Amino acid sequence: MATLNLLFGVIILIKYMIVNGWVYGMANGLSPNYYIMACPIADIIIRNAVNTAVQSDPTLAAGLLRMHFHDCFVEGCDGSVLIDSTKSNTAEKDSPANLSLRGYEIIDAAKQALERQCPGVVSCADILAMAARDAVFFAGGPFYEIPKGRRDGRRSKIEDTINLPPPTLNSSELIRMFGQRGFTAQDMVALSGAHTLGVARCSSFKSRLSNFDSTSDVDPSIDTQFAKTLSKTCSAGDNAEQPFDSSRNRFDTAYFNALQTRAGVLFSDQTLFDGAATRGFVNAYSFNPAMFFMDFQRAMLKMGQLDVKEGSKGEVRSNCRLIN
Ligand code: HEM
Ligand SMILES: *[C@@H]1O[C@H](CO)[C@@H](O)[C@H](O)[C@H]1NC(C)=O
Ligand SMILES: *[C@@H]1O[C@H](CO)[C@@H](O)[C@H](O)[C@H]1NC(C)=O
């Protein structure tokens, strides 16, 4: 009997280890159950904060998703995008590439609630990763579990934002840039599908509308009618917003349908339909939402683990805007 109990004990322990990712070797120290002992309600608190925010303003889902991307691509997923500038340091968020990042207040609200329940436990980088995940879900996208345990970084410098892809890149340049971070072309197209949410401002695409290059005034990859739509948007100024697709608050495949009709808003969107190595994925995702959702989840899991900081290389900030 005692042997049997011991056996069960060992089996449960092994199962626990697998669930925690130790056996699968999440070498970066992340695990899906990271907060299960120290802050089991972390998920619920964050989900509530995101839910409250997107109920009152559904466009904030896009803001959260984009902010997580900017966090991970600059200095790794370490909450560096949340840091405010100080007298002696100009932070990432004040780069022109911050291009209208939105949703900081949601992270602050979640952080305040978490500090009341379990002070000093949940990192800002994890809050952002979970908030982006919940935003996707509330917008009608897939729900996926993510590993946690990211530590917050102590560096946030305007010059690091050079690591973000500009919207002028063509498909082969995008493949190369994402490839350097371990993403396949398929991952990159799936991640670009994040543009199923949100808007771009005229300043991000106006270079396609006049003096495009030496051979054409208007970017020849845009549908003629859609070029008129974009010009009309821009007639209201550089900050005028153009939704990426017909359903800006719904996580669906309308973005890929738009690319097929040459109604992509950014050059970096439309080029995915022109590149031989990316076009097949655009067509597949447009046709098959389940495949898009699967690939998007997988790519987001990868993105959410870019250069995460371990142990003393990071900290758990008590205010997401300030280094401790
Ligand atoms: C493939 C390379 C990418 C480029 C060149 C790019 C570029 C841009 C640009 C220029 C904007 C518009 C900003 C503005 O005008 O205000 C934008 C918006 C957005 N991006 Fe990307 N992006 C890329 C990939 C991603 C990824 C990987 C994600 C997330 C996983 C993402 C999420 C978003 C979202 C959600 C918006 C809308 C934001 C809002 O409505 O507030 N993007 N992106
Ligand atoms: C983005 O950067 C500009 C300066 O380039 C700054 O004025 C603005 O406040 C920043 N936006 C956010 C949301 O931090
Ligand atoms: C993409 O841009 C690079 C550099 O500007 C250029 O060499 C390459 O030919 C372009 N690729 C495509 C598919 O247009």
Side-chain angles (χ1 to χ4, degrees):
M1 202 56 212
T3 347
L4 207 58
N5 276 343
L6 185 66
L7 189 66
F8 278 134
V10 170
I11 289 172
I12 288 167
L13 183 67
I14 291 175
K15 193 174 150 221
Y16 183 74
M17 285 163 67
I18 292 176
V19 170
N20 276 281
W22 300 336
V23 168
Y24 290 164
M26 282 191 185
N28 55 22
L30 302 192
S31 120
N33 294 334
Y34 193 83
Y35 294 117
I36 203 148
M37 302 303 277
C39 196
I41 57 166
D43 276 280
I44 296 170
I45 290 179
I46 293 164
R47 196 171 311 143
N48 278 344
V50 175
N51 191 20
T52 309
V54 298
Q55 291 273 341
S56 69
D57 179 1
T59 70
L60 285 170
L64 287 170
L65 180 54
R66 181 158 192 248
M67 195 146 65
H68 179 46
F69 163 54
H70 280 213
D71 187 27
C72 293
F73 263 61
V74 183
E75 278 280 311
C77 313
D78 67 347
S80 53
V81 71
L82 303 167
I83 297 281
D84 280 344
S85 292
T86 58
K87 278 198 200 80
S88 57
N89 181 52
T90 309
E92 288 169 27
K93 67 163 64 154
D94 285 317
S95 119
N98 74 22
L99 297 166
S100 55
L101 282 182
R102 289 163 335 113
Y104 294 108
E105 324 71 47
I106 308 170
I107 305 300
D108 290 338
K111 182 66 183 175
Q112 274 159 26
L114 285 164
E115 288 302 295
R116 279 196 295 274
Q117 294 298 325
C118 13
V121 173
V122 184
S123 69
C124 298
D126 274 348
I127 298 175
L128 183 48
M130 289 190 265
R133 172 198 63 181
D134 294 339
V136 166
F137 177 70
F138 286 128
F143 182 81
Y144 46 95
E145 190 46 90
I146 54 170
K148 294 137 210 153
R150 296 165 189 77
R151 311 265 300 165
D152 295 326
R154 298 191 186 91
R155 175 192 170 99
S156 177
K157 298 216 169 275
I158 185 169
E159 56 267 27
D160 295 340
T161 53
I162 185 141
N163 295 318
L164 290 166
T168 47
L169 298 188
N170 67 30
S171 62
S172 29
E173 294 168 315
L174 286 168
I175 290 174
R176 192 172 346 109
M177 184 163 185
F178 278 72
Q180 283 165 356
R181 284 146 185 279
F183 296 102
T184 63
Q186 186 166 359
D187 293 332
M188 188 272 289
V189 178
L191 286 175
S192 298
H195 290 173
T196 180
L197 295 179
V199 297
R201 291 161 315 137
C202 171
S203 52
S204 301
F205 55 81
K206 70 174 177 187
S207 62
R208 307 178 72 197
L209 303 173
S210 60
N211 302 318
F212 178 65
D213 64 13
S214 54
T215 54
S216 44
D217 200 29
V218 175
D219 176 353
S221 75
I222 318 181
D223 167 74
T224 338
Q225 209 49 47
F226 191 65
K228 288 182 188 146
T229 305
L230 292 181
S231 298
K232 190 157 168 258
T233 299
C234 283
S235 65
D238 271 5
N239 283 325
E241 295 177 348
Q242 175 68 44
F244 283 114
D245 66 22
S246 53
S247 52
R248 61 178 282 187
N249 296 327
R250 255 214 93 72
F251 196 97
D252 56 16
T253 56
Y255 164 79
F256 295 108
N257 305 340
L259 302 187
Q260 290 178 315
T261 59
R262 303 209 157 277
V265 174
L266 303 176
F267 178 80
S268 55
D269 293 319
Q270 194 57 57
T271 188
L272 302 177
F273 189 62
D274 289 320
T278 49
R279 177 181 220 159
F281 299 119
V282 171
N283 289 331
Y285 295 152
S286 148
F287 174 74
N288 188 343
M291 181 183 174
F292 168 45
F293 281 18
M294 286 290 293
D295 287 359
F296 181 78
Q297 290 174 52
R298 204 184 35 223
M300 285 296 283
L301 273 178
K302 252 195 212 181
M303 190 181 93
Q305 295 180 59
L306 282 175
D307 301 326
V308 293
K309 308 220 165 13
E310 276 186 85
S312 61
K313 285 191 205 136
E315 61 185 21
V316 172
R317 270 178 229 145
S318 44
N319 175 341
C320 292
R321 295 171 182 266
L322 304 172
I323 292 161
N324 283 349

